């Protein structure tokens, strides 16, 4: 039985594909102590030119690129992802702006230890085809009065289909465009939510570890 105090820091691996602003929120939280009992041990990118890689390098976090270019075969790519995550002794995977569909065996291997952030109030405006600006376009087209973001577990049942952990809400403003909405949801909802959601799941894993 391990006591809470003597438990090591948890290793968090962040999976990215693009700008990495959610990654940056986690890196900033790790740097200023708001990320509790954890460190960002690895950034895994599905794109070799992702600006998220630059953010990782500036923070001194190891980066591994596993992409369709480096690993064209789906099974080999999934194995490379598992090997990279295992190599960092990953306790929790956070997919943040990760635009590649993860193989079922990767999701099931990290069942209960893999979370994602999605820029809508799931289950609405989630699933296949709902990513990036498309999410906000659909929210506006539907005449919604509010939107937000969701941190949820990643399961092997589908896209954006896992149990919801946290949600943050924000009203839609007069004159909002998909671009203004995306920018505001990212900054005002997602960035605080990804840190709060990661802390919450880390605490759940710690409680489980020493229960
Ligand atoms: C964010 O809206 C995130 O929720 C979605 O991808 C967008 C870009 O994220 N999955 P980031 O700036 O790369 O973190």
């Amino acid at each position: 039985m391990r006591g809470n105090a003597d438990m090591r820091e948890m290793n968090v691996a962040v999976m990215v594909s693009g700008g990495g602003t959610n990654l940056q929120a986690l890196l900033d939280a790790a740097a200023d102590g708001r990320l509790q009992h954890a460190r960002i041990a690895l950034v895994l990118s599905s794109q070799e030119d992702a600006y998220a890689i630059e953010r990782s390098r500036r923070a001194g976090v190891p980066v591994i690129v596993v992409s369709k270019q480096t690993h064209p075969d789906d099974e080999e790519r999934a194995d490379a992802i598992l090997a990279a995550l295992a190599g960092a002794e990953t306790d929790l995977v956070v997919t943040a702006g990760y635009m590649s569909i993860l193989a079922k065996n990767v999701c099931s291997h990290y069942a209960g230890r893999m979370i994602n952030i999605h820029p809508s109030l799931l289950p609405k405006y989630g699933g296949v085809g709902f990513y990036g600006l498309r999410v906000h376009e659909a929210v506006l087209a539907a005449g919604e009065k509010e939107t937000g973001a969701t941190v949820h577990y990643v399961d092997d049942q589908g896209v954006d289909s896992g149990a919801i952990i946290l949600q943050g809400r924000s009203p839609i403003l007069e004159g909002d465009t998909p671009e203004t909405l995306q920018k505001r949801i990212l900054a005002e909802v997602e960035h605080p939510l990804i840190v709060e959601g990661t802390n919450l799941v880390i605490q759940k894993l710690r409680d489980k570890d020493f229960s």
Side-chain angles (χ1 to χ4, degrees), residues 98-101 116-136 138-139 150 152-153 155 157-162 164:
Y98 187 71
M99 291 302 165
S100 186
I101 300 299
N116 178 54
I117 186 156
H118 180 80
S120 78
L121 295 172
L122 290 176
K124 295 174 86 172
Y125 313 109
V128 177
F130 283 105
Y131 57 87
L133 272 181
R134 291 178 173 204
V135 175
H136 306 289
V139 166
T150 303
H152 62 95
Y153 286 105
D155 65 12
Q157 301 304 304
V159 176
D160 300 329
S161 56
I164 289 173

PDB file of all heavy atoms in Angstrom, residues 98-101 116-136 138-139 150 152-153 155 157-162 164:
ATOM      1  N   TYR A  98      -5.503  16.555 -31.521  1.00  0.00           N
ATOM      2  CA  TYR A  98      -4.935  15.393 -32.220  1.00  0.00           C
ATOM      3  C   TYR A  98      -5.916  15.004 -33.314  1.00  0.00           C
ATOM      4  O   TYR A  98      -7.079  14.686 -33.029  1.00  0.00           O
ATOM      5  CB  TYR A  98      -4.727  14.243 -31.237  1.00  0.00           C
ATOM      6  CG  TYR A  98      -3.998  13.045 -31.819  1.00  0.00           C
ATOM      7  CD1 TYR A  98      -2.644  13.127 -32.122  1.00  0.00           C
ATOM      8  CD2 TYR A  98      -4.666  11.850 -32.093  1.00  0.00           C
ATOM      9  CE1 TYR A  98      -1.967  12.033 -32.677  1.00  0.00           C
ATOM     10  CE2 TYR A  98      -4.000  10.763 -32.632  1.00  0.00           C
ATOM     11  CZ  TYR A  98      -2.647  10.861 -32.932  1.00  0.00           C
ATOM     12  OH  TYR A  98      -1.990   9.791 -33.476  1.00  0.00           O
ATOM     13  N   MET A  99      -5.482  15.061 -34.586  1.00  0.00           N
ATOM     14  CA  MET A  99      -6.414  14.948 -35.697  1.00  0.00           C
ATOM     15  C   MET A  99      -6.377  13.594 -36.396  1.00  0.00           C
ATOM     16  O   MET A  99      -6.906  13.437 -37.475  1.00  0.00           O
ATOM     17  CB  MET A  99      -6.099  16.046 -36.731  1.00  0.00           C
ATOM     18  CG  MET A  99      -6.413  17.424 -36.232  1.00  0.00           C
ATOM     19  SD  MET A  99      -8.171  17.526 -35.769  1.00  0.00           S
ATOM     20  CE  MET A  99      -8.145  19.025 -34.842  1.00  0.00           C
ATOM     21  N   SER A 100      -5.725  12.632 -35.796  1.00  0.00           N
ATOM     22  CA  SER A 100      -5.677  11.320 -36.433  1.00  0.00           C
ATOM     23  C   SER A 100      -6.549  10.365 -35.610  1.00  0.00           C
ATOM     24  O   SER A 100      -6.609  10.490 -34.387  1.00  0.00           O
ATOM     25  CB  SER A 100      -4.212  10.862 -36.455  1.00  0.00           C
ATOM     26  OG  SER A 100      -4.087   9.682 -37.173  1.00  0.00           O
ATOM     27  N   ILE A 101      -7.233   9.451 -36.285  1.00  0.00           N
ATOM     28  CA  ILE A 101      -8.081   8.505 -35.532  1.00  0.00           C
ATOM     29  C   ILE A 101      -7.175   7.440 -34.911  1.00  0.00           C
ATOM     30  O   ILE A 101      -6.361   6.837 -35.602  1.00  0.00           O
ATOM     31  CB  ILE A 101      -9.117   7.838 -36.463  1.00  0.00           C
ATOM     32  CG1 ILE A 101     -10.016   8.924 -37.089  1.00  0.00           C
ATOM     33  CG2 ILE A 101      -9.969   6.815 -35.711  1.00  0.00           C
ATOM     34  CD1 ILE A 101     -10.806   9.740 -36.066  1.00  0.00           C
ATOM     35  N   ASN A 116      -9.602  13.302 -23.889  1.00  0.00           N
ATOM     36  CA  ASN A 116      -9.589  14.170 -25.062  1.00  0.00           C
ATOM     37  C   ASN A 116     -10.346  15.448 -24.750  1.00  0.00           C
ATOM     38  O   ASN A 116     -11.238  15.461 -23.888  1.00  0.00           O
ATOM     39  CB  ASN A 116     -10.259  13.446 -26.235  1.00  0.00           C
ATOM     40  CG  ASN A 116     -10.320  14.306 -27.496  1.00  0.00           C
ATOM     41  OD1 ASN A 116      -9.301  14.817 -27.952  1.00  0.00           O
ATOM     42  ND2 ASN A 116     -11.519  14.488 -28.036  1.00  0.00           N
ATOM     43  N   ILE A 117      -9.997  16.517 -25.446  1.00  0.00           N
ATOM     44  CA  ILE A 117     -10.796  17.745 -25.337  1.00  0.00           C
ATOM     45  C   ILE A 117     -11.412  18.020 -26.702  1.00  0.00           C
ATOM     46  O   ILE A 117     -10.765  17.868 -27.733  1.00  0.00           O
ATOM     47  CB  ILE A 117      -9.979  18.949 -24.841  1.00  0.00           C
ATOM     48  CG1 ILE A 117     -10.908  20.151 -24.616  1.00  0.00           C
ATOM     49  CG2 ILE A 117      -8.820  19.320 -25.782  1.00  0.00           C
ATOM     50  CD1 ILE A 117     -10.370  21.163 -23.634  1.00  0.00           C
ATOM     51  N   HIS A 118     -12.711  18.365 -26.637  1.00  0.00           N
ATOM     52  CA  HIS A 118     -13.458  18.612 -27.879  1.00  0.00           C
ATOM     53  C   HIS A 118     -14.189  19.947 -27.729  1.00  0.00           C
ATOM     54  O   HIS A 118     -14.784  20.205 -26.667  1.00  0.00           O
ATOM     55  CB  HIS A 118     -14.445  17.465 -28.127  1.00  0.00           C
ATOM     56  CG  HIS A 118     -15.251  17.644 -29.366  1.00  0.00           C
ATOM     57  ND1 HIS A 118     -14.765  17.354 -30.624  1.00  0.00           N
ATOM     58  CD2 HIS A 118     -16.509  18.134 -29.546  1.00  0.00           C
ATOM     59  CE1 HIS A 118     -15.703  17.642 -31.522  1.00  0.00           C
ATOM     60  NE2 HIS A 118     -16.770  18.108 -30.897  1.00  0.00           N
ATOM     61  N   PRO A 119     -14.184  20.770 -28.774  1.00  0.00           N
ATOM     62  CA  PRO A 119     -14.727  22.134 -28.645  1.00  0.00           C
ATOM     63  C   PRO A 119     -16.243  22.243 -28.832  1.00  0.00           C
ATOM     64  O   PRO A 119     -16.730  23.112 -29.563  1.00  0.00           O
ATOM     65  CB  PRO A 119     -13.982  22.895 -29.737  1.00  0.00           C
ATOM     66  CG  PRO A 119     -13.753  21.881 -30.799  1.00  0.00           C
ATOM     67  CD  PRO A 119     -13.534  20.574 -30.079  1.00  0.00           C
ATOM     68  N   SER A 120     -17.000  21.364 -28.159  1.00  0.00           N
ATOM     69  CA  SER A 120     -18.459  21.535 -28.140  1.00  0.00           C
ATOM     70  C   SER A 120     -18.994  20.884 -26.875  1.00  0.00           C
ATOM     71  O   SER A 120     -18.252  20.211 -26.149  1.00  0.00           O
ATOM     72  CB  SER A 120     -19.129  20.860 -29.359  1.00  0.00           C
ATOM     73  OG  SER A 120     -19.220  19.452 -29.160  1.00  0.00           O
ATOM     74  N   LEU A 121     -20.277  21.090 -26.609  1.00  0.00           N
ATOM     75  CA  LEU A 121     -20.922  20.457 -25.451  1.00  0.00           C
ATOM     76  C   LEU A 121     -21.409  19.080 -25.900  1.00  0.00           C
ATOM     77  O   LEU A 121     -22.566  18.895 -26.273  1.00  0.00           O
ATOM     78  CB  LEU A 121     -22.068  21.338 -24.952  1.00  0.00           C
ATOM     79  CG  LEU A 121     -21.630  22.703 -24.397  1.00  0.00           C
ATOM     80  CD1 LEU A 121     -22.844  23.587 -24.102  1.00  0.00           C
ATOM     81  CD2 LEU A 121     -20.758  22.546 -23.144  1.00  0.00           C
ATOM     82  N   LEU A 122     -20.490  18.099 -25.874  1.00  0.00           N
ATOM     83  CA  LEU A 122     -20.852  16.733 -26.295  1.00  0.00           C
ATOM     84  C   LEU A 122     -22.044  16.257 -25.459  1.00  0.00           C
ATOM     85  O   LEU A 122     -22.225  16.709 -24.324  1.00  0.00           O
ATOM     86  CB  LEU A 122     -19.648  15.805 -26.083  1.00  0.00           C
ATOM     87  CG  LEU A 122     -18.448  16.034 -27.023  1.00  0.00           C
ATOM     88  CD1 LEU A 122     -17.292  15.116 -26.629  1.00  0.00           C
ATOM     89  CD2 LEU A 122     -18.829  15.823 -28.476  1.00  0.00           C
ATOM     90  N   PRO A 123     -22.917  15.371 -25.981  1.00  0.00           N
ATOM     91  CA  PRO A 123     -22.699  14.667 -27.255  1.00  0.00           C
ATOM     92  C   PRO A 123     -23.030  15.472 -28.518  1.00  0.00           C
ATOM     93  O   PRO A 123     -22.850  14.969 -29.620  1.00  0.00           O
ATOM     94  CB  PRO A 123     -23.661  13.470 -27.128  1.00  0.00           C
ATOM     95  CG  PRO A 123     -24.735  13.953 -26.211  1.00  0.00           C
ATOM     96  CD  PRO A 123     -24.089  14.930 -25.263  1.00  0.00           C
ATOM     97  N   LYS A 124     -23.502  16.713 -28.347  1.00  0.00           N
ATOM     98  CA  LYS A 124     -23.837  17.495 -29.544  1.00  0.00           C
ATOM     99  C   LYS A 124     -22.566  17.929 -30.283  1.00  0.00           C
ATOM    100  O   LYS A 124     -21.558  18.264 -29.646  1.00  0.00           O
ATOM    101  CB  LYS A 124     -24.676  18.717 -29.173  1.00  0.00           C
ATOM    102  CG  LYS A 124     -26.048  18.354 -28.617  1.00  0.00           C
ATOM    103  CD  LYS A 124     -26.802  19.572 -28.129  1.00  0.00           C
ATOM    104  CE  LYS A 124     -27.574  20.254 -29.247  1.00  0.00           C
ATOM    105  NZ  LYS A 124     -28.467  21.328 -28.733  1.00  0.00           N
ATOM    106  N   TYR A 125     -22.665  17.924 -31.611  1.00  0.00           N
ATOM    107  CA  TYR A 125     -21.581  18.433 -32.465  1.00  0.00           C
ATOM    108  C   TYR A 125     -20.252  17.712 -32.243  1.00  0.00           C
ATOM    109  O   TYR A 125     -19.181  18.306 -32.221  1.00  0.00           O
ATOM    110  CB  TYR A 125     -21.428  19.953 -32.307  1.00  0.00           C
ATOM    111  CG  TYR A 125     -22.733  20.679 -32.384  1.00  0.00           C
ATOM    112  CD1 TYR A 125     -23.310  21.275 -31.257  1.00  0.00           C
ATOM    113  CD2 TYR A 125     -23.464  20.695 -33.581  1.00  0.00           C
ATOM    114  CE1 TYR A 125     -24.547  21.882 -31.318  1.00  0.00           C
ATOM    115  CE2 TYR A 125     -24.700  21.308 -33.647  1.00  0.00           C
ATOM    116  CZ  TYR A 125     -25.243  21.910 -32.513  1.00  0.00           C
ATOM    117  OH  TYR A 125     -26.484  22.503 -32.573  1.00  0.00           O
ATOM    118  N   GLY A 126     -20.354  16.397 -32.051  1.00  0.00           N
ATOM    119  CA  GLY A 126     -19.146  15.571 -31.924  1.00  0.00           C
ATOM    120  C   GLY A 126     -19.225  14.414 -32.896  1.00  0.00           C
ATOM    121  O   GLY A 126     -20.205  14.244 -33.600  1.00  0.00           O
ATOM    122  N   GLY A 127     -18.174  13.632 -32.936  1.00  0.00           N
ATOM    123  CA  GLY A 127     -18.156  12.463 -33.812  1.00  0.00           C
ATOM    124  C   GLY A 127     -17.492  12.755 -35.154  1.00  0.00           C
ATOM    125  O   GLY A 127     -16.935  13.844 -35.374  1.00  0.00           O
ATOM    126  N   VAL A 128     -17.587  11.779 -36.035  1.00  0.00           N
ATOM    127  CA  VAL A 128     -16.878  11.879 -37.328  1.00  0.00           C
ATOM    128  C   VAL A 128     -17.274  13.161 -38.070  1.00  0.00           C
ATOM    129  O   VAL A 128     -18.441  13.515 -38.148  1.00  0.00           O
ATOM    130  CB  VAL A 128     -17.215  10.643 -38.208  1.00  0.00           C
ATOM    131  CG1 VAL A 128     -16.565  10.764 -39.577  1.00  0.00           C
ATOM    132  CG2 VAL A 128     -16.739   9.367 -37.516  1.00  0.00           C
ATOM    133  N   GLY A 129     -16.280  13.882 -38.543  1.00  0.00           N
ATOM    134  CA  GLY A 129     -16.552  15.084 -39.342  1.00  0.00           C
ATOM    135  C   GLY A 129     -16.656  16.351 -38.518  1.00  0.00           C
ATOM    136  O   GLY A 129     -16.614  17.460 -39.058  1.00  0.00           O
ATOM    137  N   PHE A 130     -16.821  16.218 -37.195  1.00  0.00           N
ATOM    138  CA  PHE A 130     -16.926  17.415 -36.347  1.00  0.00           C
ATOM    139  C   PHE A 130     -15.557  17.722 -35.735  1.00  0.00           C
ATOM    140  O   PHE A 130     -15.191  17.211 -34.668  1.00  0.00           O
ATOM    141  CB  PHE A 130     -17.971  17.212 -35.247  1.00  0.00           C
ATOM    142  CG  PHE A 130     -19.390  17.346 -35.730  1.00  0.00           C
ATOM    143  CD1 PHE A 130     -20.174  16.228 -35.908  1.00  0.00           C
ATOM    144  CD2 PHE A 130     -19.918  18.603 -36.039  1.00  0.00           C
ATOM    145  CE1 PHE A 130     -21.486  16.340 -36.367  1.00  0.00           C
ATOM    146  CE2 PHE A 130     -21.228  18.729 -36.495  1.00  0.00           C
ATOM    147  CZ  PHE A 130     -22.018  17.592 -36.668  1.00  0.00           C
ATOM    148  N   TYR A 131     -14.808  18.566 -36.425  1.00  0.00           N
ATOM    149  CA  TYR A 131     -13.514  18.992 -35.884  1.00  0.00           C
ATOM    150  C   TYR A 131     -13.216  20.403 -36.371  1.00  0.00           C
ATOM    151  O   TYR A 131     -13.817  20.875 -37.339  1.00  0.00           O
ATOM    152  CB  TYR A 131     -12.392  18.027 -36.312  1.00  0.00           C
ATOM    153  CG  TYR A 131     -12.267  17.874 -37.811  1.00  0.00           C
ATOM    154  CD1 TYR A 131     -11.484  18.754 -38.562  1.00  0.00           C
ATOM    155  CD2 TYR A 131     -12.965  16.877 -38.477  1.00  0.00           C
ATOM    156  CE1 TYR A 131     -11.386  18.630 -39.940  1.00  0.00           C
ATOM    157  CE2 TYR A 131     -12.883  16.747 -39.854  1.00  0.00           C
ATOM    158  CZ  TYR A 131     -12.093  17.618 -40.585  1.00  0.00           C
ATOM    159  OH  TYR A 131     -12.018  17.493 -41.947  1.00  0.00           O
ATOM    160  N   GLY A 132     -12.344  21.078 -35.624  1.00  0.00           N
ATOM    161  CA  GLY A 132     -11.925  22.424 -36.030  1.00  0.00           C
ATOM    162  C   GLY A 132     -13.110  23.358 -36.226  1.00  0.00           C
ATOM    163  O   GLY A 132     -14.094  23.315 -35.495  1.00  0.00           O
ATOM    164  N   LEU A 133     -13.044  24.187 -37.265  1.00  0.00           N
ATOM    165  CA  LEU A 133     -14.081  25.203 -37.507  1.00  0.00           C
ATOM    166  C   LEU A 133     -15.452  24.577 -37.764  1.00  0.00           C
ATOM    167  O   LEU A 133     -16.489  25.189 -37.495  1.00  0.00           O
ATOM    168  CB  LEU A 133     -13.688  26.073 -38.711  1.00  0.00           C
ATOM    169  CG  LEU A 133     -12.823  27.304 -38.431  1.00  0.00           C
ATOM    170  CD1 LEU A 133     -12.561  28.059 -39.728  1.00  0.00           C
ATOM    171  CD2 LEU A 133     -13.461  28.216 -37.394  1.00  0.00           C
ATOM    172  N   ARG A 134     -15.448  23.344 -38.288  1.00  0.00           N
ATOM    173  CA  ARG A 134     -16.726  22.697 -38.628  1.00  0.00           C
ATOM    174  C   ARG A 134     -17.644  22.607 -37.414  1.00  0.00           C
ATOM    175  O   ARG A 134     -18.858  22.692 -37.522  1.00  0.00           O
ATOM    176  CB  ARG A 134     -16.460  21.279 -39.165  1.00  0.00           C
ATOM    177  CG  ARG A 134     -15.787  21.264 -40.515  1.00  0.00           C
ATOM    178  CD  ARG A 134     -15.523  19.837 -40.927  1.00  0.00           C
ATOM    179  NE  ARG A 134     -15.018  19.754 -42.287  1.00  0.00           N
ATOM    180  CZ  ARG A 134     -15.138  18.658 -43.031  1.00  0.00           C
ATOM    181  NH1 ARG A 134     -15.747  17.601 -42.541  1.00  0.00           N
ATOM    182  NH2 ARG A 134     -14.656  18.613 -44.251  1.00  0.00           N
ATOM    183  N   VAL A 135     -17.039  22.401 -36.254  1.00  0.00           N
ATOM    184  CA  VAL A 135     -17.847  22.291 -35.023  1.00  0.00           C
ATOM    185  C   VAL A 135     -18.586  23.613 -34.808  1.00  0.00           C
ATOM    186  O   VAL A 135     -19.807  23.650 -34.635  1.00  0.00           O
ATOM    187  CB  VAL A 135     -16.948  21.992 -33.808  1.00  0.00           C
ATOM    188  CG1 VAL A 135     -17.761  22.002 -32.520  1.00  0.00           C
ATOM    189  CG2 VAL A 135     -16.214  20.668 -33.986  1.00  0.00           C
ATOM    190  N   HIS A 136     -17.859  24.701 -34.880  1.00  0.00           N
ATOM    191  CA  HIS A 136     -18.445  26.027 -34.594  1.00  0.00           C
ATOM    192  C   HIS A 136     -19.405  26.459 -35.687  1.00  0.00           C
ATOM    193  O   HIS A 136     -20.429  27.096 -35.410  1.00  0.00           O
ATOM    194  CB  HIS A 136     -17.308  27.033 -34.386  1.00  0.00           C
ATOM    195  CG  HIS A 136     -16.320  26.589 -33.340  1.00  0.00           C
ATOM    196  ND1 HIS A 136     -16.617  26.566 -31.996  1.00  0.00           N
ATOM    197  CD2 HIS A 136     -15.067  26.087 -33.458  1.00  0.00           C
ATOM    198  CE1 HIS A 136     -15.575  26.094 -31.315  1.00  0.00           C
ATOM    199  NE2 HIS A 136     -14.626  25.788 -32.187  1.00  0.00           N
ATOM    200  N   ALA A 138     -21.345  24.409 -37.291  1.00  0.00           N
ATOM    201  CA  ALA A 138     -22.587  23.654 -37.030  1.00  0.00           C
ATOM    202  C   ALA A 138     -23.351  24.252 -35.849  1.00  0.00           C
ATOM    203  O   ALA A 138     -24.587  24.362 -35.869  1.00  0.00           O
ATOM    204  CB  ALA A 138     -22.246  22.190 -36.760  1.00  0.00           C
ATOM    205  N   VAL A 139     -22.623  24.668 -34.822  1.00  0.00           N
ATOM    206  CA  VAL A 139     -23.254  25.271 -33.628  1.00  0.00           C
ATOM    207  C   VAL A 139     -23.995  26.548 -34.022  1.00  0.00           C
ATOM    208  O   VAL A 139     -25.161  26.759 -33.656  1.00  0.00           O
ATOM    209  CB  VAL A 139     -22.186  25.576 -32.553  1.00  0.00           C
ATOM    210  CG1 VAL A 139     -22.721  26.503 -31.469  1.00  0.00           C
ATOM    211  CG2 VAL A 139     -21.674  24.272 -31.932  1.00  0.00           C
ATOM    212  N   THR A 150     -15.683  20.115 -24.002  1.00  0.00           N
ATOM    213  CA  THR A 150     -15.857  18.902 -23.186  1.00  0.00           C
ATOM    214  C   THR A 150     -14.533  18.167 -23.048  1.00  0.00           C
ATOM    215  O   THR A 150     -13.825  17.979 -24.048  1.00  0.00           O
ATOM    216  CB  THR A 150     -16.868  17.937 -23.858  1.00  0.00           C
ATOM    217  OG1 THR A 150     -18.120  18.616 -24.055  1.00  0.00           O
ATOM    218  CG2 THR A 150     -17.081  16.685 -23.020  1.00  0.00           C
ATOM    219  N   HIS A 152     -13.367  14.475 -22.092  1.00  0.00           N
ATOM    220  CA  HIS A 152     -14.015  13.163 -21.937  1.00  0.00           C
ATOM    221  C   HIS A 152     -12.983  12.049 -22.055  1.00  0.00           C
ATOM    222  O   HIS A 152     -11.877  12.250 -22.606  1.00  0.00           O
ATOM    223  CB  HIS A 152     -15.103  12.971 -23.008  1.00  0.00           C
ATOM    224  CG  HIS A 152     -14.588  12.987 -24.413  1.00  0.00           C
ATOM    225  ND1 HIS A 152     -14.261  11.837 -25.111  1.00  0.00           N
ATOM    226  CD2 HIS A 152     -14.313  14.014 -25.254  1.00  0.00           C
ATOM    227  CE1 HIS A 152     -13.823  12.166 -26.318  1.00  0.00           C
ATOM    228  NE2 HIS A 152     -13.836  13.474 -26.424  1.00  0.00           N
ATOM    229  N   TYR A 153     -13.341  10.878 -21.541  1.00  0.00           N
ATOM    230  CA  TYR A 153     -12.476   9.716 -21.725  1.00  0.00           C
ATOM    231  C   TYR A 153     -12.531   9.297 -23.188  1.00  0.00           C
ATOM    232  O   TYR A 153     -13.577   9.434 -23.836  1.00  0.00           O
ATOM    233  CB  TYR A 153     -12.936   8.551 -20.840  1.00  0.00           C
ATOM    234  CG  TYR A 153     -12.606   8.734 -19.378  1.00  0.00           C
ATOM    235  CD1 TYR A 153     -13.591   9.079 -18.450  1.00  0.00           C
ATOM    236  CD2 TYR A 153     -11.293   8.584 -18.912  1.00  0.00           C
ATOM    237  CE1 TYR A 153     -13.285   9.270 -17.111  1.00  0.00           C
ATOM    238  CE2 TYR A 153     -10.986   8.759 -17.570  1.00  0.00           C
ATOM    239  CZ  TYR A 153     -11.976   9.105 -16.681  1.00  0.00           C
ATOM    240  OH  TYR A 153     -11.667   9.295 -15.351  1.00  0.00           O
ATOM    241  N   ASP A 155     -12.714   6.257 -25.593  1.00  0.00           N
ATOM    242  CA  ASP A 155     -12.965   4.806 -25.539  1.00  0.00           C
ATOM    243  C   ASP A 155     -12.775   4.243 -26.947  1.00  0.00           C
ATOM    244  O   ASP A 155     -12.476   4.984 -27.886  1.00  0.00           O
ATOM    245  CB  ASP A 155     -14.378   4.522 -24.986  1.00  0.00           C
ATOM    246  CG  ASP A 155     -15.472   5.040 -25.911  1.00  0.00           C
ATOM    247  OD1 ASP A 155     -15.166   5.405 -27.071  1.00  0.00           O
ATOM    248  OD2 ASP A 155     -16.633   5.106 -25.479  1.00  0.00           O
ATOM    249  N   GLN A 157     -15.089   2.867 -28.717  1.00  0.00           N
ATOM    250  CA  GLN A 157     -16.425   2.688 -29.332  1.00  0.00           C
ATOM    251  C   GLN A 157     -16.652   3.616 -30.519  1.00  0.00           C
ATOM    252  O   GLN A 157     -17.504   3.382 -31.344  1.00  0.00           O
ATOM    253  CB  GLN A 157     -17.514   2.936 -28.271  1.00  0.00           C
ATOM    254  CG  GLN A 157     -17.415   1.993 -27.061  1.00  0.00           C
ATOM    255  CD  GLN A 157     -17.440   0.528 -27.483  1.00  0.00           C
ATOM    256  OE1 GLN A 157     -18.361   0.088 -28.151  1.00  0.00           O
ATOM    257  NE2 GLN A 157     -16.382  -0.208 -27.139  1.00  0.00           N
ATOM    258  N   GLY A 158     -15.938   4.712 -30.554  1.00  0.00           N
ATOM    259  CA  GLY A 158     -16.191   5.661 -31.647  1.00  0.00           C
ATOM    260  C   GLY A 158     -15.423   6.957 -31.422  1.00  0.00           C
ATOM    261  O   GLY A 158     -14.598   7.045 -30.517  1.00  0.00           O
ATOM    262  N   VAL A 159     -15.736   7.962 -32.221  1.00  0.00           N
ATOM    263  CA  VAL A 159     -15.044   9.250 -32.120  1.00  0.00           C
ATOM    264  C   VAL A 159     -15.796  10.147 -31.130  1.00  0.00           C
ATOM    265  O   VAL A 159     -17.020  10.296 -31.222  1.00  0.00           O
ATOM    266  CB  VAL A 159     -14.989   9.922 -33.520  1.00  0.00           C
ATOM    267  CG1 VAL A 159     -14.359  11.308 -33.424  1.00  0.00           C
ATOM    268  CG2 VAL A 159     -14.198   9.047 -34.488  1.00  0.00           C
ATOM    269  N   ASP A 160     -15.096  10.680 -30.156  1.00  0.00           N
ATOM    270  CA  ASP A 160     -15.701  11.603 -29.151  1.00  0.00           C
ATOM    271  C   ASP A 160     -16.807  10.904 -28.360  1.00  0.00           C
ATOM    272  O   ASP A 160     -17.754  11.553 -27.905  1.00  0.00           O
ATOM    273  CB  ASP A 160     -16.283  12.855 -29.844  1.00  0.00           C
ATOM    274  CG  ASP A 160     -15.212  13.632 -30.598  1.00  0.00           C
ATOM    275  OD1 ASP A 160     -14.045  13.602 -30.162  1.00  0.00           O
ATOM    276  OD2 ASP A 160     -15.544  14.215 -31.649  1.00  0.00           O
ATOM    277  N   SER A 161     -16.679   9.577 -28.175  1.00  0.00           N
ATOM    278  CA  SER A 161     -17.812   8.814 -27.608  1.00  0.00           C
ATOM    279  C   SER A 161     -17.623   8.440 -26.143  1.00  0.00           C
ATOM    280  O   SER A 161     -18.527   7.879 -25.539  1.00  0.00           O
ATOM    281  CB  SER A 161     -17.977   7.521 -28.409  1.00  0.00           C
ATOM    282  OG  SER A 161     -16.741   6.813 -28.386  1.00  0.00           O
ATOM    283  N   GLY A 162     -16.516   8.721 -25.540  1.00  0.00           N
ATOM    284  CA  GLY A 162     -16.251   8.259 -24.168  1.00  0.00           C
ATOM    285  C   GLY A 162     -16.992   9.065 -23.117  1.00  0.00           C
ATOM    286  O   GLY A 162     -17.557  10.131 -23.410  1.00  0.00           O
ATOM    287  N   ILE A 164     -18.136  11.526 -20.312  1.00  0.00           N
ATOM    288  CA  ILE A 164     -17.794  12.940 -20.119  1.00  0.00           C
ATOM    289  C   ILE A 164     -17.216  13.157 -18.723  1.00  0.00           C
ATOM    290  O   ILE A 164     -17.721  12.619 -17.739  1.00  0.00           O
ATOM    291  CB  ILE A 164     -19.049  13.820 -20.343  1.00  0.00           C
ATOM    292  CG1 ILE A 164     -19.403  13.824 -21.842  1.00  0.00           C
ATOM    293  CG2 ILE A 164     -18.817  15.261 -19.838  1.00  0.00           C
ATOM    294  CD1 ILE A 164     -20.701  14.518 -22.180  1.00  0.00           C
TER     295      ILE A 164
END
